[in-house]
Structures are given as structure tokens and as C-alpha cells.
Amino acid sequence: MTFQALSVVSEVYPLIKTGGLADVAGALPAAVAPHGVELLTLIPGYPPVMKALAQPRIVHRFNDLFGTEASLVRGTASGLEVIALDAPSLFAREGGPYSDAKGADWPDNWRRFGALGLAAAEIARGILAEYRPQLVHAHDWQGGMAPAYLRFGEGHPVPSVMTVHNIAFPGWFPPEVFPALLLPPEAFTIAGIEYFGGVGFLKAGLQTADAITTVSPTYAQEIRSKELGMGLEGVIVERQDSVHGILNGIDTSTWNPSADTHLAVPYDAKALAQREHNKRAIELGFRLTAQGGPIFCVVSRLTSQKGMDVLVEAADALVAMGGRLAVLGSGDPKLETAFKAAAARHPGGIGVRIGYDEPLSHLLQGGSDAIIIPSRFEPCGLTQLYGLRYGCVPVAARTGGLADTIIDANEAALAAGVATGFLFSEVTPEGLIAALKRAVAAYGHREVWRSLQVHGMKADFSWKRSGRAYAELYKSLIMPRRSGRA
Ligand code: ADP
């Protein structure tokens, strides 16, 4: 039996991406397809999205969606079936999907993503003659209003799933926006969408969706705590029977070292020596002229969540122990400056590229010896999964999805031949430095290092398992409705 579902999301690879959310949203339709789910993606009609749509068709016009004209445009792009919410006054802007060119959040984000949620609910209510999904799957705060509009609107037409990719982004807006959201007054309560005196879009989704998922089993536990629940731990605990941890997969065709056109030379686990060519390309590109030691890379948002301040503090020690560092990232201006200063202190030992560069991110995974991920929290994390697949050994904090996907190279794991990386518990310069020391020591033993690489490359982090898990969850929500039990 085939089901139709609608994924509501603010970014989707390869049309528009700021982080892992886009990778996941881009891969999900193909992941659930083998299990009988046709998943369409509803996404804001940002300029690159509108440009990418092949054979676009206007399938609905809103005369007044939160005070603006808007239409739903259906088309395909890069193999994805997409419905774009084309509302130029909301989405046709220079800058990023959430913020202007200077990095300041768009002040009307509540209206932009409120409109997205409302459009999703309207589609689920049947405004499109040609397409009516049986389930809505909302992602993060930007999708969070979709389940709320379903719950507080007329009837409760289809079930919904709310996936938390990062609970640290609550989508909070002042209470003054509530009337404009066109919800009934009873929605503005603690049991509804009220959050710290204002409106919380993620909270809205968590309260009203039929099921909640997050992107790793460990993070599903961690967000029950005050420390990592970011004020939403109460809802998570209250709804614990509806919370599922489903690990993200990776797109194994985009991320395939044996057929990756962004690499100087492709390779596989049987031809690891070929990685040297990629390493040379990194040495050239990042001016890592210091001889010999392992190259550690970073591909990351430069933020405190990612523990980048801790890495800045550990950088001198990393060079002192013979390591080299290639950093690709952007984010907090203070951290960008600090990394540039570290590079200036260690010419030949540290190279930094500030910016977002998809091809370079592939080369770094394909040529560096290790990738450093000292996150304070990490819902799932994708860069360690790419690292594992590329023989780029992760050195990572023991948190969230990192703890679920990396097998630490302790004595037992090494003896059993199952280790794939290095984990450390204290996200402090000392904790990171101790892990880096272990990595540098292991790098000195060729066979040990090779075994880490090969075991990582063999691990299966494709979407197979997770695609089935999502499809089963969808079906478990749709079937009771169909038989009239819900
Ligand atoms: P998050 O979504 O929290 O930023 P993830 O590890 O889940 O972290 O996903 C990050 C994604 O963004 C990965 O695909 C990673 O390769 C990519 N990425 C992060 N920073 C950069 C950058 N500066 N250039 C290219 N790709 C990047």
C-alpha cells in the first residue's frame, strides 16, 4: 500500500542548505520511498528554489496569506518532488533563509514560517485537488506551526510528526505576534504554543504533533534534561511515550569516496593510499607546509555549540604534538578571528578558510587524516558520518549522535577490531587535548590507524534502517485514523 506524506521544511539539499537539516530533508523522500511512502517537500520559495524548479505549475493561489499574496508552485528539482510557497514579499530576499546578509534574523520570521505552517495545514485539509497528503512531517521550529494549525484548526484532518533536529533553536517570538497567527485564544496557553511568555514555534509542534522524533537515540534521552532540553524538557518528558530517536542516515551517492568528483583522486577502502593525493591538495590549499604529522580538519559552523572555542584553546597544543589543522567554517565573528590568529601564529601548521564551500568540505573529508568535532551537544551530527565513510577518523565529544555512531578506540575495542574513532567526555581544552594525543599516538602505528579507517568505512550509515523506521512510524499514525480508531 502506498501513502502520501508532506515534509515541511525550511531548507533542502541541494536547493538551499545551511546545515544538516537540508541534508536530511533532501534524503528523506528517497529513504522512505522503498517502504511505500511518497513524500513531497513543502519549502519556502526562496529565489534559488524558484529557479531550480523544473516545469513549475501554480496549483493554488492564496489571495491573502498573512496579508500577502502567495501561491503554491509544484515542480521537480534534483529528483525531489517539491511544492514551493511562492510569496515574494516573504521569501524573495537577498541574504540567508533566516537572516539578512549581515546575519541579523529577519524580523518577520514569525510571519514567514507561520505562513509555511499554515500552507502545510491547508494542503492537508485538501486545498489542492490533485494532492492530499495523509500525514504531515514538520522539521524544527520553522515547520513547527504546521502541526499546530492542524490541531487548532477545524477537525484534525491528518496526523503529524514533529522532528527536532536541534532543540536549541526554539523559534521564540514576542506575545504581540500571537493575534496575527490567526489561532484560537486557547492555543496561547502553556499546554499550547506559549513559551516563556511569548510564542514558541518548536514548542507548538512538540505540543500538537501526534509523534515527536529526534535524530539520535542518545539525544532523545538528553533533551529530557534541564541541561540540554533548553526549556522544552518538560514537554519532552510529558510526551515521552510519543518520542522516538531515529538516527540520521547519509546520502551515500553524494558522499561516496569512490565516485566523488570533488576529490583530487577518488578511492575506496582497498586503495587507501590514494588518499595521499587528496592530502597533498589540502596541504597546498591550506598552505600546510609543516612536514609529516597527521592533518586534522574541521568542517563546521564556528559556534560554541560545536565547541569551536575549545578547539581554539587547544590549537597550540595540537601543533606542539605534531598535528596540523585545516579549518573550514563560518559563524561567530569572534571565533573566526581567533582561528585566523591561530593560523597566523602557526604558519604551515594551521590553515583556515572562512566561508561555506561544499566541494572543499568533500576534499577535507577525503584527504585529512582526522576530523575534530568537540560539540557541547550534537543532536546527530553528519560530519562524523561523512568522516567515517571517507576514512577520516573522527575525534569527537561523547554526546548525542556522536556517541551513537563512533566506537571509541579504547583497549577493548582495539583488541576486538571494532574501533572507529576517539571520543572524549569533558568538552574542555584538556579533554580535547587528551583525545588528540591518543589520536596522534595511534596515527604513529600504521596498522592501528588503518584498522580505524577501514572499520569506519565499512559501517553502514545509509538511510536503509532509518528510512524504514520513519515509514513505520508514519504508518502507525495513519492506520488507526483510517480504521477510525483515533
Ligand atoms: P549542523 O546541522 O548542526 O550544522 P551537522 O553535522 O548535522 O551540523 O551538519 C552540517 C552540514 O553542513 C554537513 O553537511 C557539513 O558538511 C556542512 N557544513 C558545515 N559547515 C560547512 C562549511 N563551512 N562548508 C561546507 N559545508 C559545511
Side-chain angles (χ1 to χ4, degrees):
M1 197 182 294
T2 308
F3 296 96
Q4 291 192 314
L6 182 69
S7 174
V8 186
V9 70
S10 56
E11 49 184 277
V12 63
Y13 180 84
L15 309 185
I16 179 135
K17 166 170 166 176
T18 70
L21 171 62
D23 290 346
V24 175
L28 203 52
V32 295
H35 308 286
V37 181
E38 279 176 30
L39 188 65
L40 259 70
T41 305
L42 174 70
I43 181 161
Y46 313 111
V49 171
M50 298 313 296
K51 223 163 117 191
L53 283 190
Q55 296 169 334
R57 286 184 294 122
I58 296 181
V59 288
H60 184 77
R61 281 184 205 278
F62 296 99
N63 291 328
D64 178 3
L65 184 67
F66 290 162
T68 187
E69 279 186 16
S71 52
L72 295 172
V73 181
R74 187 165 176 180
T76 55
S78 307
L80 295 167
E81 279 274 340
V82 174
I83 299 176
L85 176 60
D86 185 22
S89 73
L90 300 180
F91 301 120
R93 300 177 181 179
E94 299 287 317
Y98 319 119
S99 49
D100 64 20
K102 288 192 185 125
D105 285 349
W106 298 112
D108 59 349
N109 271 345
W110 63 272
R111 189 191 301 273
R112 301 170 78 229
F113 296 104
L116 185 73
L118 185 55
E122 295 288 294
I123 294 171
R125 290 213 158 77
I127 54 165
L128 304 184
E130 60 179 46
Y131 168 72
R132 186 167 185 180
Q134 290 150 287
L135 176 137
V136 169
H137 184 171
H139 301 270
D140 271 354
W141 73 265
Q142 298 92 336
M145 289 304 285
Y149 282 117
L150 285 171
R151 176 59 56 99
F152 291 112
E154 267 180 35
H156 185 187
V158 301
S160 57
V161 175
M162 179 75 233
T163 294
V164 182
H165 297 264
N166 193 336
I167 209 162
F169 298 109
W172 185 91
F173 301 101
E176 293 74 41
V177 311
F178 179 74
L181 289 171
L182 310 174
L183 284 165
E186 68 265 24
F188 195 52
T189 63
I190 284 300
I193 75 170
E194 186 181 343
Y195 177 64
F196 288 104
V199 171
F201 276 25
L202 181 57
K203 162 98 185 295
L206 293 175
Q207 283 287 7
T208 56
D210 294 86
I212 297 167
T213 74
T214 187
V215 289
S216 70
T218 293
Y219 194 59
Q221 289 302 316
E222 289 171 342
I223 56 176
R224 298 163 56 87
S225 70
K226 201 165 184 285
E227 204 189 355
L228 291 184
M230 308 284 170
L232 290 166
E233 60 277 8
V235 192
I236 299 293
V237 170
E238 200 178 294
R239 300 211 56 203
Q240 59 186 332
D241 294 342
S242 308
V243 179
H244 310 260
I246 303 177
L247 204 58
N248 286 335
I250 59 172
D251 182 334
T252 49
S253 54
T254 304
W255 291 92
N256 177 6
S258 64
D260 189 330
T261 52
H262 300 311
L263 301 183
V265 178
Y267 60 93
D268 60 21
K270 289 195 205 88
L272 275 174
Q274 298 293 332
R275 292 183 96 254
E276 284 298 313
H277 298 287
N278 299 318
K279 193 165 172 176
R280 292 289 94 79
I282 294 169
E283 283 173 340
L284 268 176
F286 283 81
R287 300 215 179 99
L288 296 178
T289 46
Q291 286 306 302
I295 293 185
F296 293 84
C297 75
V298 165
V299 179
S300 182
R301 291 185 285 120
L302 302 181
T303 64
S304 119
Q305 178 205 328
K306 299 288 181 181
M308 286 296 133
D309 50 321
V310 174
L311 176 57
V312 165
E313 299 258 320
D316 294 347
L318 170 62
V319 174
M321 66 179 88
R324 293 175 285 171
L325 179 64
V327 177
L328 168 63
S330 62
D332 181 345
K334 275 200 208 108
L335 288 170
E336 292 180 356
T337 307
F339 274 114
K340 284 192 219 154
R345 282 199 306 277
H346 299 285
I350 298 181
V352 174
R353 189 78 59 86
I354 301 298
Y356 191 93
D357 189 332
E358 192 82 25
L360 187 56
S361 73
H362 286 241
L363 179 67
L364 283 167
Q365 298 279 14
S368 308
D369 297 293
I371 180 162
I372 305 178
I373 314 170
S375 305
R376 291 195 162 83
F377 62 94
E378 193 59 78
C380 176
L382 292 174
T383 56
Q384 85 279 14
L385 302 181
Y386 301 145
L388 290 168
R389 183 150 164 83
Y390 277 62
C392 180
V393 176
V395 181
R398 187 181 276 109
T399 184
L402 299 169
D404 287 337
T405 54
I406 298 166
I407 303 176
D408 179 57
N410 60 36
E411 290 299 324
L414 282 173
V418 294
T420 59
F422 299 88
L423 289 171
F424 60 98
S425 297
E426 297 296 322
V427 181
T428 56
E430 297 72 34
L432 172 57
I433 290 167
L436 291 170
K437 274 192 184 145
R438 291 167 61 211
V440 169
Y443 181 78
H445 298 277
R446 205 161 164 271
E447 282 317 305
V448 172
W449 195 260
R450 214 183 160 72
S451 138
L452 291 172
Q453 290 179 298
V454 170
H455 285 109
M457 292 178 85
K458 272 198 205 145
D460 180 4
F461 290 112
S462 70
W463 272 99
K464 258 184 243 143
R465 240 175 317 169
S466 308
R468 176 177 305 129
Y470 277 112
E472 279 172 3
L473 176 65
Y474 294 168
K475 286 176 195 171
S476 75
L477 299 171
I478 292 169
M479 293 310 279
R481 292 278 181 113
R482 284 199 150 185
S483 53
R485 279 188 277 123

